Amino acid sequence: GEDVEQSLFLSVREGDSSVINCTYTDSSSTYLYWYKQEPGAGLQLLTYIFSNMDMKQDQRLTVLLNKKDKHLSLRIADTQTGDSAIYFCAESMGSARQLTFGSGTQLTVLP
Amino acid sequence: DTGVSQNPRHKITKRGQNVTFRCDPISEHNRLYWYRQTLGQGPEFLTYFQNEAQLEKSRLLSDRFSAERPKGSFSTLEIQRTEQGDSAMYLCASSLVTLAGGKNIQYFGAGTRLSVL
């Protein structure tokens, strides 16, 4: 099974909040990341959180971390059509500290 | 432009041919990673370099794959005798790592999309 799991699809109305959820398995992960990928493009780092934090806010983005449940969420306030993309959660693990990604959540913003 | 640059953006080849991709990382970054992404999946780790040393390879990296980073700057990924299953997006990322256990913020290039016919 995957080390990082995400729901595959989310649709919201423009102006509403979006919440994208992620669960991970490696309790030794020290940093967790959110990336955004638009069609045909590479990954854009949105934000990251250190494992000793519960919450991090950056403009319209809020990351919540529940370390006990190994659950991470990304909330996007006032979602816009330009936010439509695939969002990946990732944990940093292993000696190489390579990123292990979920399968991504396709966010569709409806007008 | 100081981001991660990958060339070519697209590569179409016939089964059995060799292909080579190039990645130019952010200039001061000491780590360079290669990932592979297939349709509908997240990227999967292939290998990484610390400066010019290749320190870890995933079991996904078969003997047909080889990567180099000769001077600790740009890197190349070569696939020999390509197979249809090699069709994917190949992503390069770079980071600056200074402390053990510290954050490892990886910045990605736009990727090279390989299609093997």
Side-chain angles (χ1 to χ4, degrees):
Chain A
E2 287 188 330
D3 295 319
V4 180
E5 293 191 357
Q6 303 178 236
S7 52
L8 292 180
F9 302 100
L10 177 66
S11 291
V12 298
R13 293 276 177 199
E14 192 174 13
D16 289 349
S17 292
S18 308
V19 179
I20 303 171
N21 295 300
C22 168
T23 57
Y24 63 97
T25 57
D26 188 357
S27 57
S28 65
S29 292
T30 52
Y31 285 89
L32 295 134
Y33 306 82
W34 284 103
Y35 283 84
K36 174 184 179 183
Q37 187 176 37
E38 297 184 73
L43 277 72
Q44 174 195 353
L45 177 68
L46 291 177
T47 187
Y48 61 92
I49 187 166
F50 186 48
S51 59
N52 70 351
M53 299 170 64
D54 298 325
M55 185 181 86
K56 180 178 180 181
Q57 188 154 2
D58 184 0
Q59 300 183 335
R60 292 191 298 122
L61 304 179
T62 303
V63 179
L64 295 178
L65 175 61
N66 181 328
K67 198 173 180 183
K68 173 177 170 289
D69 294 337
K70 300 190 183 72
H71 183 266
L72 182 73
S73 67
L74 174 70
R75 178 177 179 270
I76 306 172
D78 187 25
T79 314
Q80 302 298 306
T81 54
D83 295 324
S84 292
I86 301 176
Y87 290 80
F88 291 96
C89 125
E91 60 178 345
S92 179
M93 55 190 292
S95 58
R97 281 186 277 142
Q98 69 270 27
L99 299 178
T100 298
F101 289 86
S103 293
T105 299
Q106 171 79 59
L107 174 64
T108 302
V109 182
L110 305 170
Chain B
D1 185 5
T2 57
V4 178
S5 176
Q6 291 189 247
N7 288 289
R9 290 294 311 277
H10 299 94
K11 179 71 178 177
I12 300 173
T13 192
K14 292 183 179 178
R15 187 162 47 97
Q17 298 294 305
N18 299 345
V19 294
T20 300
F21 312 138
R22 177 179 169 127
C23 172
D24 287 89
I26 294 171
S27 58
E28 65 269 22
H29 283 185
N30 52 4
R31 284 206 178 178
L32 188 149
Y33 295 79
W34 285 98
Y35 291 83
R36 182 174 68 187
Q37 184 180 22
T38 53
L39 200 61
Q41 299 298 315
E44 294 174 291
F45 170 73
L46 292 178
T47 189
Y48 92 104
F49 292 84
Q50 174 97 8
N51 300 312
E52 67 276 8
Q54 186 176 17
L55 296 184
E56 189 161 327
K57 292 192 277 190
S58 156
R59 56 183 163 77
L60 292 176
L61 210 68
S62 78
D63 291 344
R64 296 184 297 105
F65 288 68
S66 62
E68 294 183 342
R69 194 183 183 198
K71 296 181 181 177
S73 56
F74 74 92
S75 176
T76 57
L77 178 67
E78 182 184 15
I79 309 174
Q80 296 183 324
R81 305 181 303 282
T82 52
E83 301 173 356
Q84 287 184 323
D86 297 331
S87 295
M89 174 83 89
Y90 289 84
L91 292 163
C92 173
S94 71
S95 66
L96 178 64
V97 176
T98 56
L99 290 172
K103 64 178 184 279
N104 180 18
I105 307 299
Q106 295 183 29
Y107 296 90
F108 282 78
T112 294
R113 183 168 294 285
L114 173 65
S115 297
V116 182
L117 305 178

